[in-house]
């Protein structure tokens, strides 16, 4: 049963006329609003942030956002008071405390009705939630972390996952998802590496855009974050300042966001906490207005990261107080303040009334949000909170979801080195009688999940609630995979800390076994409550805690040791790679991760994941990412005592079958600066098993105005091949794909020689050629070609091909 939501009669609501364009309807509503009502649309309220749940002792309360406890005290007002003039957003109704679907729907209905019935115009609030590893709520599917999406090199699969996430969110009334993260990894020590898709702008752009398309196909707005520069903080420290010139920002950081807007029509952008060269993103009109709106034509909303507006005063100190911060943020281009209203509150209202802040800025921001509310159907005459959610039973961890999570996990596991032991099962393998399973990631399924997965994000505050979903740990998954072999499990040590009391039992188990499988790596958390995740930055790239010592002692037993790294960032493995009987990398593979890893270990699955980041040899942060000019690469050996050569390069990943890439064909050896050429190669499965390979195209600008990367990923295609089958892969490369930011900061296509490199990783590129770009320097903009289309043509009748970007 619904109630009257406004004192305004239906004849006085022309904005509810669905025959009018969205912009016109939004304008009609804006004209009907008082200044207080317009400004209220720019704010939000987070009821779950009050931390008033009686089940949670104050000393056990853990923040899920930076300085959450501080702002909970300073900004908390009742929802009724916060929305007496209306409200822009409801914050994290589903993601703040563990709620069943029934409880969540009831709470959502309650909050909606408070907003609707307490304000004059009865404009509904938009509901947003986190969704990076799936819908961040109790009992919802936990998919692999974003760094694992990168390992799949499979945009189509990521799009299907995002569509499933979007359908679940839409079914329970969520309108906007705060994903994907389009930050490009610049320092592996940064805690949020797990939330990124990788270290290459094209890979991040292609998979991030696929996520946007998938989520928005379900009617849920995607939010690109963090705009921009957050991942390049000094020393990888969360919220650290960013020492970056404008050219690097334009060539490495911004293209991922630009592509998601140009190719996927992303509906929202979230600002970064960081300052770049001293200018905080949340107060940067060049970034948020000139580039985003003017150059790129973005028409959606810019929402603040949580408390990024008051941070302009308290952290960046470019504003005197949160009122001043609100004025700066509004002028720069932030439209909606999340998660609570501080900077866009009563103080800003007084500044607008006094004329210090133009009301046009308020109108500009409110107009953008109201257009989205029209597009979401919130301003339709028949919209009610009850009608906006599914009327049937909602299963947030359905069998279909789990199958999709398993597919992603399986495609993301990376074989670094098969060594002498992998695969564990096969006709040429001796039967395993006794297997020691050791390590902190073997028995705890939470290690499979990222910091924005609900079990790691919120449930540490509720230790009696379990995980909310069924997740098999690595030990049980491997036991199921190996059948009759006896498995002996010893943890050995925790992920973090210096407790070595479990070493002896673990070493004894390994010594008495035919084989030892050691699962080491991370446990994600927030703000120091984990080894990976937001605010969990690393001093160096050693495995956390005493795990490296445990591995050394296991390797000393003489028993073959297969090392499985389950982590959110790459760790330095140079001390172990030559001694291990097998080496596998699994980037936080989600709730189906145990089964996926076990399948790769046994050989039931042929691994096909590829590294979206490099694996360092040394713990001291070497190397940087693969995007390096000559002086930052292994080619500079001899000029520094630090070796920049990685242990395993970007794009690398092994298999249990073999592939050959050859027969390079270039459609032209010279093309104009506005022309196009094709690059074709043939890939053949020369092994005995069906498998997938990812063919990668890199370009190298031989001579340029500025120092350019030695290799830059420009196209890729995932191909599935039966034994003996072959496929021709043709990349369509427009000259725009060679564009870069010149000395004068214009993006140009420059004439000159271009080296074309094709292979299976950034270091294995057997096919090489030269194409000359001819003509005059050409300046390009947002309308340039941003993707490299790929054609797959099977040669053998039993070949199949999927993917490609």
């Amino acid at each position: 049963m619904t109630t009257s939501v406004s004192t305004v009669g239906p004849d006085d609501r022309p904005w509810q006329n669905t025959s009018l364009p969205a912009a016109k309807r939004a304008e009609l509503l804006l004209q009907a609003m008082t200044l207080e009502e317009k400004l209220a649309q720019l704010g939000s309220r987070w009821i779950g942030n009050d931390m008033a749940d009686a089940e949670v002792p104050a000393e056990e309360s853990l923040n899920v956002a930076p300085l959450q406890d501080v702002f909970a005290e300073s900004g908390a007002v009742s929802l009724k008071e916060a929305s007496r003039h209306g409200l822009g957003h409801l914050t994290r109704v589903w993601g703040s405390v563990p709620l069943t679907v029934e409880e969540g729907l009831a709470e959502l209905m309650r909050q909606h009705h408070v907003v609707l019935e307490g304000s004059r115009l009865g404009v509904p609030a938009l509901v947003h939630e986190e969704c990076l590893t799936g819908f961040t709520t109790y009992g919802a599917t936990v998919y692999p972390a974003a760094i694992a999406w990168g390992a799949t090199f499979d945009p189509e699969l990521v799009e299907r996952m995002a569509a499933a996430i979007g359908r679940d969110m839409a079914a329970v009334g969520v309108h906007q998802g705060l994903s994907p993260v389009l930050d490009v990894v610049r320092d592996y020590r940064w805690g949020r590496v797990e939330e990124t898709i990788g270290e290459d702008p094209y890979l991040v752009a292609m998979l991030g855009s696929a996520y946007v398309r998938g989520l928005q196909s379900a009617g849920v707005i995607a939010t690109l974050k963090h705009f921009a520069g957050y991942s390049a903080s000094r020393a990888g420290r969360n919220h650290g300042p960013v020492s970056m010139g404008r050219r690097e920002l334009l060539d490495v950081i911004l293209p991922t966001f630009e592509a998601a807007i140009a190719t996927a029509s992303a509906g929202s952008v979230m600002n970064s906490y960081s300052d770049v060269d001293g200018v905080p993103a949340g107060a940067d009109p060049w970034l948020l207005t000139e580039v985003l709106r003017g150059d790129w034509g973005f028409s959606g909303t810019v929402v603040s990261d949580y408390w990024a507006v008051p941070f302009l005063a308290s952290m960046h100190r470019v504003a005197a107080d949160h009122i001043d911060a609100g004025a700066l943020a509004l002028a720069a281009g932030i439209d909606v303040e999340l998660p609570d209203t501080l900077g866009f509150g009563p103080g800003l209202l007084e500044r607008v009334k006094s004329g210090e802040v133009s009301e046009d800025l308020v109108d500009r921001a409110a107009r953008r949000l109201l257009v989205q509310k029209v597009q979401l159907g919130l301003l339709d005459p028949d919209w009610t909170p009850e009608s906006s959610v599914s009327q049937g039973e909602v299963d947030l961890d359905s069998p279909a979801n789990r199958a999709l999570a398993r597919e992603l996990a399986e495609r993301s596991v990376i074989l670094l080195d098969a060594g002498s032991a992998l695969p564990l099962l096969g006709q040429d393998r001796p039967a395993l009688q006794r297997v020691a399973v050791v390590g902190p990631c073997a028995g705890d399924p939470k290690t499979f999940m990222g910091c924005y997965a609900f079990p790691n994000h919120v449930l540490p505050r509720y230790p009696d609630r379990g995980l909310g979903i069924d997740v098999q740990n690595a030990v049980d998954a491997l036991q199921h995979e190996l059948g009759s072999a006896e498995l002996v499990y010893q943890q050995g040590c925790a992920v973090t800390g210096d407790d070595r009391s479990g070493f002896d039992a673990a070493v004894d188990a390994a010594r008495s076994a035919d084989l030892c499988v050691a699962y080491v790596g991370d446990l994600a958390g927030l703000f120091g409550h984990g080894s990976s995740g937001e605010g969990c930055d690393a001093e160096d790239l050693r495995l956390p805690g005493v795990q490296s010592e445990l591995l050394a002692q296991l390797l000393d037993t003489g028993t073959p040791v297969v090392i499985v790294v389950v982590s959110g960032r790459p760790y330095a493995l140079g001390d172990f790679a030559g001694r291990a009987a097998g080496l596998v990398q699994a980037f936080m593979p989600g709730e189906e991760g145990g089964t996926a890893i076990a399948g790769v270990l046994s050989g039931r699955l042929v691994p096909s994941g590829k590294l979206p980041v490099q694996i360092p040899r040394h713990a001291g942060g070497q190397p940087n990412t693969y995007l390096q000019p000559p002086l930052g690469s292994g080619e500079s050996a001899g000029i520094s005592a630090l070796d920049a050569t990685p242990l395993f390069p970007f794009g690398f990943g092994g298999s249990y079958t073999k592939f050959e890439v050859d027969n390079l064909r270039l459609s032209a050896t010279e093309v104009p600066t506005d022309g196009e050429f094709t690059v074709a190669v043939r890939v053949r499965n020369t092994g005995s098993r069906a498998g997938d390979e990812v063919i990668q195209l890199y370009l190298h600008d031989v001579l340029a105005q500025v120092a350019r990367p030695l290799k830059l990923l420009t196209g890729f295609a995932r191909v599935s091949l039966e034994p003996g089958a072959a496929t021709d892969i043709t990349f369509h490369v427009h000259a725009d794909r060679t564009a870069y930011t010149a000395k004068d900061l214009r993006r140009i296509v420059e004439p000159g020689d271009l080296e074309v490199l094709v292979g299976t990783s950034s270091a294995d590129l057997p096919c090489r050629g030269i194409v000359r770009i001819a003509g005059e320097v050409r300046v390009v903009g947002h309308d340039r070609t941003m993707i490299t289309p790929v054609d797959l043509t099977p040669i053998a009748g039993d070949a199949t091909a999927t993917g490609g970007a």
Side-chain angles (χ1 to χ4, degrees):
M1 179 177 178
T2 60
T3 58
S4 174
V5 297
S6 171
T7 57
V8 179
D11 294 338
D12 300 320
R13 295 178 183 161
W15 55 85
Q16 291 187 334
N17 183 348
T18 58
S19 67
L20 297 176
K24 177 63 175 177
R25 293 173 64 187
E27 197 63 39
L28 289 169
L29 177 53
L30 193 67
Q31 292 171 8
M33 286 179 161
T34 65
L35 174 60
E36 289 82 356
E37 289 167 338
K38 289 186 286 190
L39 193 60
Q41 289 299 307
L42 313 189
S44 57
R45 182 70 186 100
W46 189 4
I47 297 301
N49 186 36
D50 296 343
M51 295 185 181
D53 196 311
E55 296 182 48
V56 187
E59 64 272 13
E60 294 181 11
S61 295
L62 302 177
N63 288 357
V64 298
L67 298 181
Q68 175 181 338
D69 47 352
V70 174
F71 288 105
E73 295 174 4
S74 64
V77 296
S78 70
L79 179 60
K80 182 177 181 180
E81 174 62 21
S83 61
R84 63 193 180 96
H85 296 296
L87 190 66
H89 276 236
L90 291 172
T91 296
R92 301 209 64 184
V93 178
W94 289 93
S96 300
V97 297
L99 301 171
T100 65
V101 170
E102 293 75 18
E103 291 168 339
L105 287 172
E107 175 60 16
L108 180 61
M109 296 304 107
R110 184 190 74 80
Q111 292 192 28
H112 267 312
H113 280 290
V114 170
V115 174
L116 291 171
E117 294 162 16
S119 57
R120 180 178 72 95
L121 296 176
V123 176
L126 190 152
V127 179
H128 76 258
E129 190 49 79
E130 299 284 358
C131 57
L132 185 59
T133 65
F135 182 17
T136 305
T137 193
Y138 188 67
T141 303
V142 176
Y143 296 91
I147 193 71
W149 313 347
T152 71
F153 277 69
D154 194 334
E156 185 272 338
L157 181 55
V158 170
E159 184 170 345
R160 284 195 283 127
M161 174 197 69
I165 294 170
R167 288 191 294 270
D168 285 344
M169 296 173 76
V172 295
V174 178
H175 306 114
Q176 181 165 347
L178 303 187
S179 291
V181 170
L182 295 188
D183 297 305
V184 176
V185 174
R186 303 302 282 164
D187 190 324
Y188 304 142
R189 295 172 295 178
W190 189 46
R192 304 191 80 167
V193 166
E194 64 168 67
E195 299 180 49
T196 75
I197 299 171
E199 67 183 53
D200 178 82
Y202 188 63
L203 178 66
V204 174
M206 294 306 297
L207 272 66
S209 297
Y211 184 99
V212 171
R213 285 190 293 272
L215 195 73
Q216 294 190 164
S217 73
V220 175
I221 297 169
T223 309
L224 312 181
K225 60 187 193 183
H226 307 85
F227 192 68
Y230 190 20
S231 58
S233 59
R234 291 180 195 162
R237 185 181 184 276
N238 196 37
H239 293 209
V242 176
S243 302
M244 179 182 289
R246 184 66 55 90
R247 183 177 297 104
E248 184 178 353
L249 191 71
L250 289 168
D251 280 352
V252 178
I253 302 299
L254 295 186
T256 60
F257 298 91
E258 186 180 10
I261 290 167
T263 69
S265 302
S268 191
V269 169
M270 175 182 281
N271 78 286
S272 163
Y273 287 124
S274 297
D275 65 74
V276 178
D277 196 22
V279 181
D284 189 353
W286 173 81
L287 181 68
L288 299 181
T289 298
E290 185 177 330
V291 172
L292 181 64
R293 305 284 186 184
D295 295 347
W296 298 354
F298 177 68
S299 60
T301 55
V302 175
V303 300
S304 79
D305 207 340
Y306 283 17
W307 295 297
V309 173
F311 278 177
L312 295 175
S314 62
M315 295 298 185
H316 295 291
R317 301 182 187 178
V318 298
D321 52 31
H322 67 265
I323 302 170
D324 195 27
L328 281 176
L330 184 65
I334 289 181
D335 302 314
V336 180
E337 182 183 9
L338 303 181
D340 275 311
T341 308
L342 292 177
F344 287 2
L348 184 60
L349 174 66
E350 294 307 312
R351 291 203 180 186
V352 177
K353 286 183 174 179
S354 70
E356 286 186 72
V357 174
S358 171
E359 188 171 349
D360 289 344
L361 294 176
V362 177
D363 289 353
R364 179 181 74 173
R367 183 180 294 112
R368 292 165 179 163
L369 180 62
L370 292 176
V371 167
Q372 286 193 334
K373 289 188 174 184
V374 172
Q375 293 169 337
L376 290 165
L378 298 180
L379 300 184
D380 290 356
D382 58 350
W383 187 92
T384 66
E386 291 78 9
S387 66
S388 68
V389 299
S390 174
Q391 303 305 303
E393 183 177 348
V394 177
D395 183 356
L396 296 178
D397 190 30
S398 66
N401 282 5
R402 295 193 71 101
L404 191 52
R406 184 165 55 254
E407 186 178 357
L408 270 153
E410 290 174 353
R411 292 195 175 197
S412 71
V413 177
I414 303 158
L415 177 65
L416 298 178
D417 186 1
S420 60
L422 296 178
L424 300 180
L425 302 181
Q427 293 181 347
D428 59 342
R429 295 291 186 188
L432 293 170
Q433 302 299 320
R434 183 181 175 92
V435 177
V437 182
V438 175
C441 297
D444 186 355
K446 294 193 299 297
T447 61
F448 298 154
M449 307 177 196
C451 72
Y452 271 82
F454 198 82
N456 287 335
H457 196 66
V458 173
L459 288 180
R461 295 173 54 205
Y462 302 86
D464 296 334
R465 295 294 186 93
L467 299 180
I469 51 177
D470 181 25
V471 186
Q472 191 175 47
N473 65 31
V475 180
D476 293 341
L478 189 59
Q479 179 68 81
H480 179 77
E481 196 75 32
L482 298 184
S484 61
E486 178 188 3
L487 263 63
V488 179
Y489 164 61
Q490 291 291 336
Q491 182 185 33
C493 65
V495 169
T496 57
D498 59 2
D499 184 0
R500 300 170 178 82
S501 61
F503 276 23
D504 288 347
V507 169
D508 287 345
R511 188 175 287 117
S512 62
D514 304 323
L515 175 81
C516 175
V517 181
Y519 291 83
V520 295
D522 282 320
L523 176 59
L526 295 163
F527 309 110
H529 294 279
S531 62
S532 173
E534 186 173 358
C536 298
D537 312 310
E539 291 183 1
D540 57 34
L541 298 175
R542 294 179 180 88
L543 285 164
V546 293
Q547 294 180 78
S548 291
E549 295 179 38
L550 175 63
L551 285 180
Q553 292 195 24
L554 294 173
L555 290 165
D556 285 342
T557 63
T559 298
V561 179
V562 174
I563 299 173
V564 180
V565 183
V566 183
S567 65
R569 66 165 63 83
Y571 285 106
L573 303 177
D575 290 342
F576 314 115
R579 303 178 62 196
L583 193 55
V584 171
Q585 173 70 54
F587 288 113
M588 292 184 174
E591 66 181 33
E592 291 287 336
T595 299
I597 295 169
V600 167
L601 293 177
S602 72
R604 174 176 56 83
L605 300 174
V606 175
S608 62
K610 295 286 185 174
L611 285 172
V613 289
Q614 301 191 115
I615 301 292
R617 186 179 302 275
H618 308 295
Q622 301 297 323
N624 291 311
T625 70
Y626 94 100
L627 287 177
Q628 298 295 328
L631 285 178
S633 72
E635 291 191 6
S636 63
I639 65 172
S640 170
L642 297 177
D643 183 3
T645 306
L647 182 63
F648 296 101
F650 173 82
F652 174 80
S655 178
Y656 295 147
T657 190
K658 296 180 180 180
F659 297 93
E660 289 184 356
V661 184
D662 57 20
N663 194 20
L664 175 70
R665 287 147 286 155
L666 301 174
S667 64
T669 57
E670 182 174 299
V671 296
T673 53
D674 62 352
E676 180 178 299
F677 62 96
T678 63
V679 180
V681 296
R682 181 164 296 175
V683 56
R684 185 179 299 278
N685 183 347
T686 61
S688 60
R689 299 190 61 180
D692 286 13
E693 182 56 277
V694 177
I695 306 303
Q696 302 161 42
L697 166 68
Y698 295 82
L699 296 181
H700 170 220
D701 195 342
V702 176
L703 182 66
Q705 291 184 16
V706 299
R708 299 280 290 139
L710 287 170
K711 300 163 189 169
L712 187 63
L713 183 69
T714 308
F716 59 88
R718 174 180 272 268
V719 185
S720 299
L721 291 172
E722 295 294 325
T727 287
D728 276 353
I729 300 174
T730 303
F731 299 95
H732 297 263
V733 184
H734 194 281
D736 288 357
R737 300 289 291 115
T738 72
Y740 70 92
T741 302
K743 287 188 289 186
D744 61 4
L745 298 183
R746 295 186 304 168
R747 190 180 300 277
I748 64 169
V749 177
E750 186 179 35
D753 286 345
L754 194 69
E755 191 175 10
V756 177
L757 311 152
V758 185
T760 58
S761 81
S762 61
D764 184 8
L765 299 164
C767 299
R768 295 170 178 250
I770 295 287
V771 172
R772 183 165 185 80
I773 307 297
E776 299 297 320
V777 171
R778 179 169 153 262
V779 177
V780 297
H782 181 64
D783 59 348
R784 70 189 183 280
T785 299
M786 298 182 191
I787 65 172
T788 303
V790 185
D791 294 332
L792 306 178
T793 307
I795 302 303
D798 57 354
T800 60
T802 61

